[in-house]
Amino acid sequence: MKLLSFFGRLPVREIKQQFYPPRFCCMMCGYEIFEGDLCADCLKSIVFNAGATCPVCGRKTAAEEICIECKARLPSYKRGVSPLSYEGGTLALIGAFKNGKPYIAYFLAREMAKKAALLPPADGLVYVPMTRKSLRRRGYNQARLIAREMSRLTGVPVLDGAVRKTGETSVQKQLSRAERENNLKTCFKADRAAVKGKVLLVVDDVCTTGATLNAVTECLKAAGAAAVYCVTAASVPHYKNKNIK
Ligand SMILES: [Zn+2]
Ligand SMILES: [Zn+2]
């Protein structure tokens, strides 16, 4: 009876943690570990954006300079950062995060919060939204999970519902760059009352071409946002991006 009343006062998540302490298994492969989130092998397989990056979009570059894409056309957001480079084991990590291992958000958000500390302070976190249909299919919005955990770590509030996604973009991969952008432009809608005059940090899992971040940024700016920055868990290195036109 005493035990029941003890658990009665705890939220469900904390009750779960009493039985499954979160740090006893590698988040990626499940191997037994005694500290950290990932085992040594998984951690070694992940590629961090530790070297040269583009000071605008944050992608890994061969030298510390603005990448060719940003030189050709600056993104709509002021600056983007990503702790991980989307190559090697990072693909498996993000894949696992999007497919049934939502708790990887704890690891990603911590790394992202460290990178986001390089950006000016934000008034609010905005996550890239999903349509209801995609949300039902996956069961969770991975960008929202990261944003919530980042908020817990940094104290910056998540602006839930600040951007809504109204159209489906599942065929994006087959489209040309111009077609993707046009398709995306009409997909997002921002809530003026929530974003007007604010410095915002857009949160997402992966920056591939930057088209999604640009589309979300443009709708936030159209709704009166003062400035928009972006943080993604991983970004495709700029030199591996050549084929995505
Ligand atoms: Zn592992
Ligand atoms: Zn760049």
Side-chain angles (χ1 to χ4, degrees), residues 57 59 75-77 79-82 126-128 180 184 188 201-221 228-232 234-235:
C57 68
R59 294 176 196 285
S76 308
Y77 48 89
R79 212 184 139 189
V81 287
S82 321
V126 173
Y127 51 87
V128 173
R180 272 174 82 114
L184 276 166
F188 299 105
L201 182 59
V202 176
V203 177
D204 203 6
D205 52 357
V206 182
C207 171
T208 311
T209 61
T212 304
L213 297 178
N214 273 325
V216 171
T217 301
E218 274 162 33
C219 95
L220 289 169
K221 279 159 78 171
V228 180
Y229 296 86
C230 295
V231 61
T232 52
S235 54

Side-chain angles (χ1 to χ4, degrees), residues 25-31 38 42 92-108 138 140 142 145-146:
C25 295
C26 168
M27 284 181 174
M28 228 171 130
C29 72
Y31 187 78
L38 301 174
C42 287
L93 179 75
I94 302 286
F97 173 50
K98 285 165 88 159
N99 296 290
K101 294 186 174 174
Y103 44 82
I104 290 176
Y106 290 111
F107 171 76
L108 299 176
R138 182 165 296 151
Y140 55 94
Q142 72 276 10
L145 289 184
I146 301 173

Side-chain angles (χ1 to χ4, degrees), residues 19 34 50 53 63 74 113 128 139 143 145 160 197 213 223 226 228:
F19 294 110
F34 295 99
T53 53
L74 284 173
V128 173
L145 289 184
D160 262 308
L213 297 178
V228 180

Side-chain angles (χ1 to χ4, degrees), residues 6-181:
F6 169 71
F7 284 125
R9 270 184 268 124
L10 287 172
V12 174
R13 201 180 76 157
E14 281 170 34
I15 295 175
K16 276 188 186 160
Q17 281 175 359
Q18 300 299 317
F19 294 110
Y20 308 106
R23 291 173 195 279
F24 279 14
C25 295
C26 168
M27 284 181 174
M28 228 171 130
C29 72
Y31 187 78
E32 191 179 28
I33 49 170
F34 295 99
E35 57 176 353
D37 295 320
L38 301 174
C39 73
D41 286 344
C42 287
L43 198 58
K44 227 183 338 185
S45 75
I46 291 168
V47 185
F48 283 83
N49 251 339
T53 53
C54 168
V56 181
C57 68
R59 294 176 196 285
K60 185 171 165 185
T61 49
E64 195 69 44
E65 58 183 11
I66 296 181
C67 75
I68 294 164
E69 283 98 333
C70 289
K71 265 184 199 156
R73 193 179 61 166
L74 284 173
S76 308
Y77 48 89
K78 276 194 184 299
R79 212 184 139 189
V81 287
S82 321
L84 306 175
S85 185
Y86 198 57
E87 55 188 330
T90 307
L91 273 72
L93 179 75
I94 302 286
F97 173 50
K98 285 165 88 159
N99 296 290
K101 294 186 174 174
Y103 44 82
I104 290 176
Y106 290 111
F107 171 76
L108 299 176
R110 208 179 45 240
E111 296 303 321
M112 288 162 79
K114 278 189 236 165
K115 273 277 179 185
L118 302 169
L119 303 172
D123 300 313
L125 302 177
V126 173
Y127 51 87
V128 173
M130 288 167 94
T131 56
R132 277 169 194 265
K133 198 174 145 199
S134 313
L135 193 58
R136 261 203 307 274
R137 204 168 39 223
R138 182 165 296 151
Y140 55 94
N141 177 342
Q142 72 276 10
R144 180 167 185 256
L145 289 184
I146 301 173
R148 286 174 65 105
E149 181 59 11
M150 278 188 70
S151 174
R152 199 183 63 81
L153 294 168
T154 61
V156 180
V158 177
L159 306 181
D160 262 308
V163 182
R164 282 184 302 118
K165 192 170 181 187
T166 49
E168 204 48 81
T169 50
S170 52
V171 286
Q172 283 284 93
K173 275 176 195 158
Q174 283 104 53
L175 301 178
S176 73
R177 182 173 174 159
E179 286 169 329
R180 272 174 82 114
E181 283 171 6

